Structure formats: structure tokens, C-alpha cells
Amino acid sequence: MNPYPDWLSPGDNAWQLVAATLVGLMSLPGIAVLYGGIVQKKWAVNTMLMAFTGFSLVLVVWVLWGFKMGFGEPLKLGPGILRAAVGIPHTILSSNNQQQAVIPLLDGTMPKFRFSETTLAYFQFVFAAITPLLFLGSVVGRMSFKVWLIFVPLWSTLAYSVNAFLLWGGGWWGQAGALDYSGGYVIHLAAGTTGFVAAAVIGPRLARDREHAVPNNLPMAAVGAGVLWLGWNGFNGGDPYFSGADASLAVINTNLTTAVALLTWVLWDIFASKQRKPTFLGAINGMITGLVAITPAAGYVNSFGAMIIGVVASSLVWMSWNWLGRTRLFKKVDDTLGVFHTHGVAGLSGGLLVGILADPKIVVYLGGGTGQDVAYSGWLWGHHPKQILIQAGAAATVIVWDAFVTFVILKVLGLFMKLRLPDEVLETGDLGVHDEEAYPDESLVTGRRVEPVFTAPAAAVASKPAEPVED
């Protein structure tokens, strides 16, 4: 018996599943413990539970109808962009999903996949799942948990599936030549846009919580950040769909940009911040910025271009965070963890930079004896701004559509339920929402009453005569 059909490559299949698992680890536990460590102590449980439930909700939506909406046959809704804006909703819960994977509109324009549809579906699921978890960072600390459970499936259906089809599923912008290697637009720009609009519609945290938003566990945040960084090897390394040379280049570019971006942010903190001191949270923001910015470009640029992206994107996001973030609008809109900056601005920066820095000598797919190598040329190499204009158009579409969908979903839900938790619940956080605490009182953990240590008042100590000391 032969476990491998003629079309299946054990190496490619194994790498796609490993890469998908790495991306899944970025969500659970990566985002869960990163966000769970950065938020205030009283919101740690709520943040982690929203991450786990969001991940679960997207998987159910994905197998029932989302995957085919993003990567199936086009649902022709009208002329122009509407002819190829989203796929026909359809389940993959059947006995025939072990066949060779195919994206219908890309069939014939790229090499045949050498793994099954289930592998492709799971690989694309983990990308769909991490997106709501990213914009969760904009609304933690006040969003109703019940609203979250409804919002995630609706947004994944109406926004994410459209983004994925337009750029990755052979949709209108993909046909126009827009480049988004691994989700700078589909995931990060979408998350930044959605998070900002959601934060504006839902409203801010308690004023006291905004003023004293102290992380509850930086070592835990460090673990989450580390999982995020190394998990990104699967995020970008898996997107050529083949375990070839371009996957290897994408991995080294990802790590190089991230390292440069982290160091750039630290230097900005040292020389330009109000405190003139480096901070660990700043380093994490620089790291995330680098990971996000290289995502749309990882397999299209050379490694020198990757370093440029790290410096430029980190500088732009640092300015956005520290300067733009202090303007009246951003003080009014409470983006809890700055997702607009580290994902929205970074994703847009990386997407535009690939339009400048894409190197035609970087081959994504070898042409072989009969075809031409697949490569792309940015403004710097092609001496023409066409690619950057295409990138800008695709970005504008994602921003406008996702902002519209987010606003409409939340406004409609707001007619039937409160989007924001009541102030009395916001006072207690996890206890009020879940009746749990991340760090419960010691007496609750041990079951023993802990007596407070009595300290005599200073005045009483001073008035007490000194005891004689025996020789």
C-alpha cells in the first residue's frame, strides 16, 4: 500500500502542517499570554478567555463556510470588483476533502499544490484565527464578552473572508497585481483598522484604568512575545506553499527585519522619548512592528531590503505611537494596546514598501524548462511607481471595507445589547465578568486565613523606653 498519492509531497505536506502549527502557537499561547501579561491584573483572565474563544469561533466558521468564501469559486455579485470580491460559502465537512488542494482562480497561474485540501484549509485557518485576536488588543478592558462571541463570527465572515479572497484567493486585487506575501493587509492592516473603529464605537475604559494601565506580568509577556517572534517563521515561511528556497529567504528576512526594528525602537526610546530610557514594552512594540512590516514583503525583497523595512517601519510606528498617539483624536479613542500603530501603521508601511523594494532577482517560483520564473519588481528596481500605486489601492480597499463592516456590525449589535460592560463591572474586572482571578488572594488559594502583619506606629515606637542590654 502507498500512503502517498502521486501528487502529494511528504515534505511539502509536513512543512505546511508544521508552519500552520507555529502560527497557531502564535495565538495560543502567544497572543493569550502576551496580552494577558500586558493588561492590568484585573483583566488577565478576560483577555486570555477572549483569545481562546475567538480562536475556537473562527475554526467553526472556517470549516462551515469561511474557507470557501476566502479560497473557493467566486460569488459574482456584479461588475468590476464585485465579480471577484468573495467566494461562494460552502462547507468542507465532507468525505472528499482529502483530494489535492486547489485555489480555483489561481489554478494554472502557480505550481500545483502538493498537499491535500485539509492541509490548505488548516493552514489558512490559523491566519484567519489570529486576526480577531490581534484587534482584541484594542478593546480589552471594557468590551462585553457576549458581544465578542457574536462579533467574531460576523466579522470573520463579512470582513476577513473578503480580504482573503480579494488578495489571496485570486480576487480582484490579486488579479490587479497587488502583493501581500503573508498578511500585511489581509491580517494586520485589517486588525489595526477594525481595532480603532471598534474602540471608537464601544467607548473607552474607566478613566482611572487608562491613567494607570500598568502591565501585570512582564515575564509572562516576554514568553508570549518570544512565541510570537519564532512562530512567525511559520507565518511567513509557509506562504510560498512549498518548502523551497523562497520559504528559507522569507524566514531569514522575517528575523532580520524584526531584530533591526526592535533595536531601532530602543534607540528611539533612548534618544527621543520623554524619559530618554529604553523600556521592555518599547522593545516588544519594535519587535511586533518588524514582524508585521516584513509580512507583506518577506519573499519578495532581498535581505538588505528587509533591513530597510525594519528601520523605516519601526521609525514610522514609533512616531505614530509617541506623536500621533498624543493628539486629541487618539486621546478620545481608547486603543488599549496600540493595535492601530503596531499593526495598522506597520502593515500599511510594509505593504507600501514592498511596492518600492520588491526585487526581481528574488524568485518565488522557478519557471523550469518551459516557463518563466515568478518574480516581482518594485519602484526601486522597475523605475516605475505602478506597483506602489497598486499597493495603495489595495490598502485603501481593506481600510474602507473593514471600517464599514466593523461599524455596521457593532451598531446593529448595539441595538440589542450593551457593547460596553457597566462601570460597576469594570471596577472589578475578571471577578465581575468571570468570577475568576489570575492572581487570587493567598487566603483563597491556601484555604487559610492570612493575618496581617502588625506594625507599631512610629510615634509609639519612639515613645517606648529602650530595654536595657545585658553584658
Side-chain angles (χ1 to χ4, degrees):
M1 293 182 289
N2 180 14
Y4 304 112
D6 292 339
W7 49 263
L8 190 143
S9 163
D12 285 345
N13 193 54
W15 170 236
Q16 292 304 127
L17 291 173
V18 169
T21 302
L22 288 171
V23 179
L25 287 170
M26 291 166 60
S27 293
L28 306 176
I31 290 292
V33 297
L34 172 62
Y35 284 4
I38 291 177
V39 297
Q40 288 172 294
K41 176 182 176 181
K42 68 177 180 177
W43 290 113
V45 171
N46 179 256
T47 301
M48 292 186 293
L49 183 57
M50 291 175 87
F52 273 77
T53 54
F55 192 86
S56 302
L57 286 164
V58 175
L59 179 55
V60 174
V61 168
W62 199 244
V63 299
L64 289 177
W65 62 79
F67 173 64
K68 289 299 184 180
M69 288 182 69
F71 297 90
E73 296 284 352
L75 179 63
K76 298 177 181 178
L77 298 171
I81 194 172
L82 295 177
R83 286 185 59 82
V86 70
I88 300 172
H90 195 277
T91 180
I92 58 170
L93 299 177
S94 64
S95 60
N96 65 344
N97 55 14
Q98 288 183 295
Q99 73 273 12
Q100 186 174 10
V102 63
I103 301 175
L105 291 185
L106 297 182
D107 194 24
T109 66
M110 62 183 297
K112 295 283 187 181
F113 292 132
R114 303 178 68 188
F115 44 79
S116 67
E117 181 181 69
T118 45
T119 298
L120 178 63
Y122 184 72
F123 179 76
Q124 289 298 341
F125 150 67
V126 289
F127 287 83
I130 199 173
T131 310
L133 273 58
L134 295 177
F135 65 66
L136 166 63
S138 293
V139 294
V140 292
R142 79 279 201 183
M143 185 179 189
S144 165
F145 185 76
K146 294 177 181 177
V147 171
W148 172 255
L149 295 179
I150 301 172
F151 179 78
V152 168
L154 290 175
W155 188 91
S156 296
T157 300
L158 300 174
Y160 185 87
S161 294
V162 174
N163 297 338
F165 191 87
L166 281 172
L167 285 150
W168 290 341
W172 198 85
W173 276 113
Q175 295 170 15
L179 303 177
D180 186 6
Y181 191 81
S182 200
Y185 286 175
V186 175
I187 296 171
H188 299 290
L189 182 58
T193 301
T194 298
F196 186 81
V197 174
V201 175
I202 293 171
R205 291 167 288 168
L206 295 175
R208 183 175 63 256
D209 288 347
R210 294 188 71 180
E211 294 169 2
H212 303 285
V214 179
N216 73 86
N217 194 324
L218 281 180
M220 186 167 81
V223 172
V227 171
L228 208 64
W229 184 336
L230 295 182
W232 226 284
N233 290 342
F235 203 95
N236 289 343
D239 262 308
Y241 296 117
F242 302 91
S243 54
D246 192 59
S248 302
L249 176 67
V251 168
I252 193 67
N253 281 348
T254 297
N255 286 267
L256 184 57
T257 300
T258 304
V260 170
L262 184 152
L263 295 172
T264 299
W265 192 291
V266 168
L267 291 175
W268 273 102
D269 274 351
I270 292 173
F271 294 106
S273 69
K274 184 182 296 185
Q275 295 81 11
R276 296 292 195 276
K277 293 179 180 178
T279 65
F280 181 66
L281 278 180
I284 289 180
N285 285 332
M287 179 204 81
I288 293 173
T289 296
L291 291 167
V292 171
I294 192 57
T295 291
Y300 299 137
V301 300
N302 60 43
S303 293
F304 183 69
M307 294 183 71
I308 293 174
I309 290 173
V311 173
V312 173
S314 187
S315 298
L316 290 174
V317 176
W318 189 95
M319 294 174 192
S320 175
W321 184 291
N322 289 278
W323 298 344
L324 184 63
R326 294 176 182 170
T327 61
R328 182 178 299 178
L329 174 63
F330 284 85
K331 287 182 178 179
K332 183 177 180 181
V333 179
D334 181 18
D335 181 359
T336 308
L337 301 182
V339 176
F340 171 86
H341 307 287
T342 55
H343 293 277
V345 176
L348 178 60
S349 300
L352 296 177
L353 286 169
V354 73
I356 299 173
L357 299 171
D359 185 348
K361 294 182 180 178
I362 301 299
V363 177
V364 181
Y365 300 121
L366 292 168
T370 57
Q372 291 184 337
D373 292 345
V374 176
Y376 300 93
S377 181
W379 193 355
L380 180 65
W381 303 92
H383 307 294
H384 194 283
K386 177 182 178 181
Q387 188 62 51
I388 197 171
L389 294 175
I390 294 173
Q391 298 299 109
T397 301
V398 171
I399 292 170
V400 172
W401 177 248
D402 288 16
F404 172 76
V405 168
T406 301
F407 182 82
V408 170
I409 292 175
L410 289 174
K411 283 297 184 181
V412 171
L413 291 179
L415 298 174
F416 306 99
M417 54 203 310
K418 295 290 185 182
L419 302 177
R420 184 176 180 271
L421 292 168
D423 284 357
E424 57 270 23
V425 175
L426 296 182
E427 291 283 354
T428 57
D430 289 336
L431 278 176
V433 184
H434 307 292
D435 203 25
E436 288 181 311
E437 288 183 284
Y439 312 101
D441 184 85
E442 187 178 348
S443 62
L444 297 176
V445 176
T446 62
R448 298 192 302 270
R449 183 179 178 183
V450 180
E451 298 291 342
V453 178
F454 176 75
T455 303
V461 173
S463 62
K464 183 179 180 180
E467 296 290 339
V469 178
E470 297 182 0
D471 294 334

